[in-house]
Amino acid sequence: MSVGIVMLVHTALDRAEQAARHWAAGGCPVVIHVDAAVPRKTYADFTRALADVPAILFSKRYRCEWGTWGIVAASQAASELMLEQFGDVRHVYLVSGSCLPLRPVEELVEYLAERPRTDFIESATTSDVPWTVSGLDHERFTLRFPFSWKRQRVLFDRYVELQRLLRMKRKIPAGLVPHMGSQWWCLTRQTLSAILQGPDRREHDAYFRQVWIPDESYYQTLARQYSTNIESRSLTLSKFDFQGKPHIFYDDHLQLLRRSDCFVARKIWPHANRLYEAFLTDPAGAMKQTEPNPGKIDRIFAKAVERRTRGRPGLYMQSRFPNEDWENGVTAAPYSAFQGFTEIFENFEPWLAKATGARVHGHVFDPETVEYAEGQTTLNGALGNSAKARDYNANAFLTNLIWNTRGERQCFQYGPADNQDVIWRIAKDPNAQVSVISGAWAVPLFRSNRNFLDIRKEAARLQKNESDHLDVLRSPYAKARIRIWTMAEFIEAPMEPLQGILDEIGQTQARRLAEVPKMVDLTGFGQFLQNLKNQGMHPYLMGDFPVALGHEPAQDRPRKPYLVR
């Protein structure tokens, strides 16, 4: 007993001819259906090219449009011709012209001969099917679909909406429980002939003509009516992406296909010369006899889907940008942002770089320029120091900064005078470690030689910016590791916060601080704040800062930092 091959062809006829000859050479008769959309001359040339092979026949042609009845009609016509002309066929295997046999045909024949009563067809109820796309599960069996989803999409959608609005439902034929599964099956002669010659075929055909994508439900449903032994799986390796589109196999998938142990794979790129040569013309390349197990490569496909849909952390791609929160990780690696530290410590940046080994920048979001570490004008990835170029998309600049320097911890200064467009990106980034000394922006104003009216105006602006900034950092949507101190709290006991910051960075050269940066002279700062109050500007972000307090830290009022986890 042999295996009959029913082949549906609509394109790449040269490859279909090659595959058909291979099947016939292995002792399998082949019945080919060519899509009616293929030009007559092309069809005539194709049939003429295979005229020298007696085991290859051609069936009546139907137009095969995706999601329509024509595909089922084509498989019916070809299957009927197969059963009529080749009486020794025990199993009928449905393939497409883009299918490629991965193992010797003799192995498939032997495998099926050992299972003479087994039907291999993926068949599951709609409640058990997780792969349907576009929200039509059970509705594809209870609504009517007279319009083409591809050519008449507007009419298709409107008619579905109308049927839902009017609560129109079709009656499923008595005794049928709709099942779905892969289009590519292998059925025994008994089951297939029962489906095609059953007394209820006219009723079944009339019903499935207006089912959406009937080629994935017609045989899958009726096989449950007539089969005595169903293996609910396909012998054909056919993978689909998250959009329901079939994966295409190329030459570099050769080893992947070998690992699947499957008999047939779909869908093969027509120009994959290496694949066709390896599996159709190289006997030495035959795979060992073993049970087909496409699950062996499922992990690779799952990773591919994840990479395609989620991408790499901190690297944006077309499918996710500019959709908010579609990123797989806002940035590529941990980094630290400091606010207020350079204002109250002298040489804070060199000290931090020495203490942690990290690259410590200045204010990379400064309105005038990008202050890279050590005065660099260009950083990895050709990131220049132009503020105008950076501000074209400040969020993308931050993402690129961390991506291009991954493997090296980045630290930078950030304050209320900087570009505020990026604050939400930092706050929502789990990779960010944010340390804030609120009110420290007043120290440069205190030490400046500007007119007091200008100082008061600038202080009001900076305080407003920082207040909005802190609201973002305290938001319930913030995911960064955030610590906030008022300036008065911090200068009372700076050692513990500094040690905690270095421990969080995790690259401290010594476990305990051997030296700390020198704090700037704050003598008269309290009076400066009082002067601002006297002029009608109320500086409140510094905390309870005594008028007489200078740069020496007080010891009588221990404070704890505000901590956001």
Side-chain angles (χ1 to χ4, degrees):
M1 295 294 181
S2 64
V3 178
I5 305 299
V6 169
M7 182 182 293
L8 306 183
V9 179
H10 71 282
T11 186
L13 302 188
D14 55 332
R15 289 303 189 187
E17 176 189 348
Q18 191 176 355
R21 288 183 178 276
H22 182 81
W23 287 115
C28 294
V30 182
V31 175
I32 300 176
H33 173 276
V34 180
D35 193 333
V38 174
R40 290 183 180 179
K41 183 179 185 307
T42 304
Y43 174 71
D45 293 341
F46 182 52
T47 55
R48 193 179 305 113
L50 289 171
D52 62 314
V53 186
I56 297 179
L57 302 178
F58 290 86
S59 65
K60 180 181 177 181
R61 301 173 66 191
Y62 292 87
R63 182 174 180 83
C64 299
E65 185 174 357
W66 182 87
T68 64
W69 174 253
I71 298 177
V72 177
S75 63
Q76 287 177 329
S79 296
E80 288 173 331
L81 183 59
M82 174 67 71
L83 297 177
E84 176 187 341
Q85 295 296 322
F86 302 98
D88 61 341
V89 165
R90 184 187 292 272
H91 279 87
V92 176
Y93 198 135
L94 180 66
V95 300
S96 77
S98 62
C99 286
L100 179 65
L102 302 182
R103 295 165 63 172
V105 177
E106 294 78 8
E107 284 192 19
L108 174 62
V109 174
E110 292 175 7
Y111 182 85
L112 294 175
E114 293 172 358
R115 299 159 179 82
R117 299 292 181 182
T118 303
D119 294 290
F120 295 90
I121 180 168
E122 194 173 54
S123 175
T125 61
T126 55
S127 59
D128 298 324
V129 172
W131 61 81
T132 54
V133 178
S134 298
L136 291 175
D137 296 328
H138 192 68
E139 281 186 323
R140 65 178 65 198
F141 299 106
T142 58
L143 302 181
R144 288 178 171 81
F145 300 91
F147 301 107
S148 168
W149 185 84
K150 284 194 171 184
R151 292 184 297 105
Q152 302 165 306
R153 183 63 180 273
V154 174
L155 291 174
F156 182 97
D157 291 340
R158 294 293 181 268
Y159 193 57
V160 169
E161 293 173 2
L162 177 64
Q163 292 178 87
R164 289 171 175 170
L165 181 63
L166 299 179
R167 298 184 180 180
M168 299 169 58
K169 286 190 176 181
R170 301 176 64 201
K171 182 180 179 180
I172 300 175
L176 289 189
V177 178
H179 283 66
M180 298 172 58
S182 171
Q183 172 188 357
W184 311 109
W185 42 257
C186 179
L187 297 177
T188 62
R189 170 181 284 271
Q190 290 80 6
T191 300
L192 184 57
S193 61
I195 292 173
L196 298 177
Q197 300 168 10
D200 298 326
R201 176 178 170 180
R202 180 172 297 181
E203 179 186 2
H204 294 160
D205 287 5
Y207 168 73
F208 278 99
R209 280 180 186 276
Q210 294 197 44
V211 167
W212 192 42
I213 319 180
D215 54 286
E216 293 182 356
S217 59
Y218 179 81
Y219 294 98
Q220 293 74 7
T221 299
L222 296 179
R224 292 289 177 178
Q225 298 290 107
Y226 302 108
S227 177
T228 58
N229 184 18
I230 286 183
E231 283 275 347
S232 185
R233 60 189 175 98
S234 174
L235 297 179
T236 299
L237 175 64
S238 181
K239 293 294 184 179
F240 294 85
D241 63 14
F242 72 104
Q243 294 177 319
K245 298 178 180 179
H247 280 287
I248 298 176
F249 294 101
Y250 299 92
D251 281 338
D252 52 357
H253 291 122
L254 175 60
Q255 296 306 319
L256 182 71
L257 293 176
R258 289 189 188 281
R259 289 172 56 188
S260 73
D261 297 329
C262 290
F263 289 108
V264 180
R266 182 186 185 276
K267 191 176 187 180
I268 309 299
W269 186 47
H271 303 291
N273 298 325
R274 186 183 176 194
L275 294 184
Y276 279 93
E277 180 179 353
F279 291 113
L280 297 187
T281 63
D282 182 12
M287 298 185 293
K288 61 182 180 180
Q289 295 188 13
T290 184
E291 185 72 19
N293 186 15
K296 291 171 61 176
I297 63 174
D298 281 348
R299 179 178 57 85
I300 298 174
F301 281 92
K303 280 191 172 183
V305 171
E306 182 179 10
R307 177 60 58 84
R308 180 178 176 185
T309 56
R310 301 194 67 202
R312 286 174 281 181
L315 183 63
Y316 287 74
M317 61 187 190
Q318 174 270 339
S319 62
R320 295 186 292 135
F321 182 82
N323 298 302
E324 183 71 18
D325 296 330
W326 276 34
E327 65 273 351
N328 177 19
V330 180
T331 51
Y335 61 95
S336 300
F338 295 90
Q339 181 169 325
F341 286 79
T342 56
E343 285 77 4
I344 66 173
F345 289 112
E346 295 180 359
N347 299 316
F348 174 76
E349 295 165 14
W351 171 82
L352 183 62
K354 181 180 178 181
T356 63
R359 185 182 297 193
V360 183
H361 306 283
H363 288 261
V364 294
F365 292 98
D366 182 89
E368 302 298 329
T369 187
V370 181
E371 298 178 357
Y372 290 128
E374 301 173 353
Q376 292 177 281
T377 58
T378 305
L379 205 64
N380 306 33
L383 289 178
N385 65 345
S386 166
K388 184 177 180 181
R390 175 204 64 202
D391 292 342
Y392 178 78
N393 190 331
N395 290 335
F397 173 84
L398 173 64
T399 301
N400 290 334
L401 172 66
I402 305 304
W403 173 264
N404 292 327
T405 57
R406 59 194 184 281
E408 179 185 36
R409 181 68 175 238
Q410 302 299 305
C411 303
F412 59 84
Q413 318 307 312
Y414 188 78
D418 295 335
N419 185 323
Q420 297 297 300
D421 294 341
V422 77
I423 181 56
W424 268 112
R425 177 59 57 92
I426 295 175
K428 294 167 68 175
D429 186 1
N431 279 331
Q433 175 198 345
V434 183
S435 303
V436 178
I437 304 175
S438 67
W441 47 263
V443 175
L445 295 179
F446 161 64
R447 303 180 70 185
S448 70
N449 192 32
R450 300 167 64 177
N451 293 332
F452 197 81
L453 183 62
D454 296 334
I455 291 176
R456 176 186 177 280
K457 183 178 180 181
E458 180 66 5
R461 184 182 74 87
L462 295 179
Q463 180 162 261
K464 175 65 168 59
N465 285 352
E466 186 170 67
S467 178
D468 296 340
H469 180 114
L470 295 179
D471 286 343
V472 172
L473 295 180
R474 293 184 174 114
S475 164
Y477 301 104
K479 297 179 181 178
R481 174 71 173 175
I482 301 169
R483 290 181 180 269
I484 302 173
W485 301 266
T486 65
M487 184 176 171
E489 289 172 340
F490 189 89
I491 66 174
E492 286 179 352
M495 290 291 290
E496 183 178 351
L498 288 175
Q499 183 66 54
I501 290 170
L502 298 185
D503 289 343
E504 286 184 359
I505 292 178
Q507 297 173 283
T508 315
Q509 301 300 319
R511 177 63 185 168
R512 303 305 301 172
L513 288 177
E515 59 181 24
V516 295
K518 181 181 179 181
M519 192 177 294
V520 300
D521 186 359
L522 295 176
T523 303
F525 183 70
Q527 184 60 55
F528 168 75
L529 297 181
Q530 184 61 48
N531 291 341
L532 288 176
K533 293 180 182 179
N534 296 341
Q535 293 295 323
M537 188 270 165
H538 181 64
Y540 60 90
L541 294 177
M542 299 79 181
D544 186 10
F545 212 105
V547 174
L549 184 61
H551 72 281
E552 293 297 331
Q555 304 297 332
D556 57 342
R557 291 181 299 168
R559 304 291 182 99
K560 293 183 178 180
Y562 173 88
L563 174 61
V564 178
R565 293 187 183 274

